[in-house]
Amino acid sequence: MKTITTTDALEAYCLEAAKHDYVTVDTEFLRERTYYSKLCLIQLAMPGTDDSNAVLVDPLAGDMSLEPLYTLFRDTSVVKVFHAARQDLEIFFVDAGVFPEPLFDTQVAAMVCGFGEQVGYETLVRKIAHQAVDKTSRFTDWSRRPLSEAQAKYALADVTHLRQVYEFLSDQLEKSGRARWVAEELETLTSPDTYTTAPRDAWKRVKTRTNSSKFLAIVRELAAFREEYAQTRNIPRSRVYKDDALVELASNKPKNHEELGRARLLLRDARKGEIAEGILKAVAAGVNCSASDQPQPDRSRDKLQVNPALADLLRVLLKAKTESAGVAAKLIAPAADLDAIAGGLRDVPALKGWRREVFGDDALLLCDGKIALTAVGASVKVVEL
């Protein structure tokens, strides 16, 4: 197996890859001790039946530039194939602001082709390529050099088997006419918003038990400080303070270091220095936030009267019809949308787009071009289109 350690060698490989219809891609990285993922290895493979045209790219080798790879990513004549691409794409977007185009994600495609929700790579390889993937090197320190033979073999298998998986799924999509279904799902994966966390918006990920605007204003300021501190120092958010400590601080609203020291859930390092100062300033900013600037939670569904029997029936019908149609139910309607429909709402994502239509008062959930579920008032029925 070949390992690329220079920019010239990477450029030569990518120029050859550009002659093919597709290239399979995977990465190995570490993130336990950093805010941003540390890229440790890139695996690439051109079409083929063995590993002769598959390589490992070592981004930790000297001053090698990844620009030849990014040039290949921008080449729209070559499909870039990943499995569960989100974390891989985040690495490349953060590093160079680039997304592979066009992109094919075999996990997304598998959901459309009847393999269930978030199916794993090993499962697809077993069912499609009829091969077993050695998992012994899954949890390893990919930053250490040299790589062992077992590590290299494991990493390379992530792109060599992927070729057969891609070819099978691509053929299935062509036959079923569902390629556009995959394309819509991939729009989120290739949106910069998916990988950009503005400190001012970080509070939206923090789970709280209250929707009080005053309380959320403090949560927002504490989350914003934590996010900015973690980003600038490239450390995990949890190294600053965890969510439970953040919520405790927002509830107790410490005004000085003495009160801050009484926080039960705060890490020792956060009780002093820059973090402590940042916490006190954030709490003060949240407490003094004007009413007009306080976060306004979405209360549109607070008074929603969900008919539990109708919601359960929708779930059962959706599961039955999506299984028969060979598509993951998650792609048609998440549980929250089914509850909303059962509560009488019709302005929900599940009722829009290529899989959903609304005809008057009848809310239709399309599973494919022929079968639908319709919720009208308190009744549910199956419709053959």
Side-chain angles (χ1 to χ4, degrees):
M1 58 191 73
K2 180 180 179 181
T3 300
I4 291 177
T5 58
T6 67
T7 304
D8 288 344
L10 178 60
E11 182 177 24
Y13 183 87
C14 290
L15 286 173
E16 185 63 28
K19 300 176 183 178
H20 296 272
D21 293 334
Y22 72 86
V23 60
T24 54
V25 189
D26 190 38
T27 70
E28 305 298 342
F29 55 87
L30 298 177
R31 197 171 190 171
E32 291 80 7
R33 300 176 183 176
T34 58
Y35 182 92
Y36 300 105
S37 296
K38 178 182 180 181
L39 181 61
C40 299
L41 194 68
I42 304 169
Q43 304 97 283
L44 302 169
M46 303 177 213
T49 57
D50 56 28
D51 61 3
S52 61
N53 58 4
V55 296
L56 304 177
V57 180
D58 188 355
L60 303 182
D63 57 354
M64 182 176 65
S65 169
L66 295 181
E67 188 54 36
L69 178 63
Y70 297 146
T71 298
L72 179 62
F73 281 177
R74 299 183 187 102
D75 186 343
T76 57
S77 69
V78 184
V79 178
K80 272 64 70 172
V81 182
F82 292 75
H83 179 82
R86 192 186 188 288
Q87 294 187 83
D88 303 314
L89 298 187
E90 181 180 18
I91 291 172
F92 298 128
F93 175 72
V94 170
D95 183 54
V98 63
F99 289 115
E101 184 183 2
L103 169 71
F104 190 99
D105 189 323
T106 55
Q107 186 176 72
V108 175
M111 288 195 286
V112 175
C113 293
F115 286 89
E117 299 180 8
Q118 296 183 322
V119 61
Y121 177 67
E122 292 84 0
T123 299
L124 288 180
V125 171
R126 185 176 68 253
K127 291 185 175 181
I128 295 175
H130 306 294
Q131 298 288 330
V133 176
D134 183 3
K135 302 178 183 179
T136 55
S137 295
R138 171 177 292 180
F139 302 106
T140 188
D141 184 352
W142 291 102
S143 67
R144 299 191 65 178
R145 295 294 184 270
L147 294 176
S148 68
E149 184 176 350
Q151 286 177 310
K153 184 178 180 180
Y154 168 87
L156 212 60
D158 282 346
V159 287
T160 52
H161 296 315
L162 189 57
R163 297 175 297 194
Q164 191 171 347
V165 172
Y166 163 68
E167 290 174 2
F168 176 86
L169 293 175
S170 180
D171 183 61
Q172 290 295 106
L173 292 173
E174 182 72 22
K175 292 177 180 178
S176 66
R178 293 178 176 176
R180 70 189 189 283
W181 295 24
V182 175
E184 182 179 291
E185 296 300 320
L186 293 181
E187 287 180 4
T188 300
L189 278 178
T190 54
S191 169
D193 292 342
T194 302
Y195 310 100
T196 304
T197 302
R200 195 72 171 170
D201 294 329
W203 68 276
K204 297 176 182 178
R205 291 197 310 266
V206 180
K207 295 182 180 179
T208 64
R209 294 183 178 180
T210 176
N211 280 335
S212 163
S213 295
K214 292 182 179 180
F215 176 77
L216 291 179
I218 305 174
V219 171
R220 181 183 64 189
E221 299 301 326
L222 285 167
F225 165 70
R226 179 180 66 173
E227 200 74 18
E228 184 174 0
Y229 189 93
Q231 287 178 353
T232 56
R233 290 159 180 79
N234 195 23
I235 60 174
R237 299 180 190 92
S238 60
R239 286 270 300 276
V240 187
Y241 42 82
K242 298 181 180 180
D243 281 2
D244 54 359
L246 188 155
V247 173
E248 179 190 27
L249 292 168
S251 299
N252 296 339
K253 302 184 284 293
K255 301 182 185 65
N256 51 53
H257 286 81
E258 182 180 354
E259 293 181 3
L260 183 63
R262 298 176 191 149
R264 296 183 302 110
L265 303 176
L266 201 60
L267 298 173
R268 181 179 300 175
D269 290 343
R271 300 169 186 267
K272 57 186 178 180
E274 289 183 301
I275 298 180
E277 293 297 332
I279 289 173
L280 294 176
K281 289 180 180 179
V283 170
V287 170
N288 297 321
C289 180
S290 64
S292 61
D293 189 39
Q294 291 172 355
Q296 299 301 316
D298 182 8
R299 295 190 172 93
S300 61
R301 300 190 182 187
D302 288 355
K303 297 181 180 180
L304 188 64
Q305 298 297 315
V306 177
N307 182 329
L310 178 56
D312 289 343
L313 186 52
L314 277 171
R315 284 176 170 79
V316 172
L317 289 173
L318 182 61
K319 185 175 187 295
K321 293 305 175 182
T322 52
E323 285 182 353
S324 65
V327 61
K330 178 182 178 181
L331 291 178
I332 306 301
D337 282 4
L338 295 181
D339 288 340
I341 294 169
L345 294 185
R346 296 296 177 260
D347 185 21
V348 295
L351 303 180
K352 300 175 182 178
W354 51 263
R355 295 157 293 188
R356 311 117 187 165
E357 294 180 28
V358 178
F359 300 104
D361 293 330
D362 294 0
L364 294 169
L365 278 65
L366 298 182
C367 297
D368 61 12
K370 299 178 181 179
I371 305 170
L373 309 179
T374 177
V376 185
S379 65
V380 176
K381 59 184 178 181
V382 177
V383 177
E384 298 288 341
L385 299 179

